[in-house]
Every structure is written in structure tokens, then in C-alpha cells.
Amino acid sequence: MREFETALGQYLIYQTFLLATYPEYKVFLAVGKNIYEKFFEQVAIQLILQKYQVSLLVIDINQEEVIKWIS
């Protein structure tokens, strides 16, 4: 959970500064497929992601490919 708190804080900081400097760009939080399935699909985490409008990029680390873009 601590890693999520840190990642969310960094995401919000990047999102804020990017909006001020390059408003046409969008920030995505990249997460591995396994972590997404075990952690990010929990109802409580989904509520947080929705509240802060976090966009996710779900990747398969072994195959080095994007699985999902979630805005």
C-alpha cells in the first residue's frame, strides 16, 4: 500500500505540472498486469483512481507489451 501512496503522489505532482506547462499531454501510471489484477482491481483502489482521475497503462512485463490503456 505504501508503494501505491508514493506512486499516486508522484502521479498527481506530474499531472499538475504537466497541465501547467503542456496541457495537451496526458500522464499515465504504468503498472504490471499481475499488480493490476491483484491490487488495482480492488473496489477501494478503483474509487481512489476515479476520484483523482488516474489514467493507467497496464503492461505485460514479460512480453513487453501494453495490455490496456485506461483513461
Side-chain angles (χ1 to χ4, degrees):
M1 181 62 115
R2 186 70 181 143
E3 292 88 358
F4 175 64
E5 293 169 355
T6 301
L8 179 61
Q10 289 176 340
Y11 177 91
L12 294 174
I13 290 169
Y14 295 151
Q15 185 182 54
T16 300
F17 287 126
L18 198 58
L19 183 60
T21 55
Y22 298 98
E24 67 277 10
Y25 289 12
K26 185 161 182 147
V27 176
F28 282 81
L29 177 62
V31 297
K33 180 182 171 222
N34 293 337
I35 293 170
Y36 176 76
E37 292 171 350
K38 291 177 183 174
F39 183 78
F40 283 85
E41 288 186 334
Q42 296 177 51
V43 174
I45 302 305
Q46 288 294 312
L47 288 171
I48 293 167
L49 297 176
Q50 289 172 6
K51 176 174 175 51
Y52 293 104
Q53 300 175 340
V54 176
S55 297
L56 294 178
L57 182 63
V58 182
I59 58 171
D60 182 327
I61 295 171
N62 295 325
Q63 296 295 320
E64 297 181 356
E65 67 181 357
V66 175
I67 304 297
K68 289 184 188 182
W69 294 82
I70 305 170
S71 294

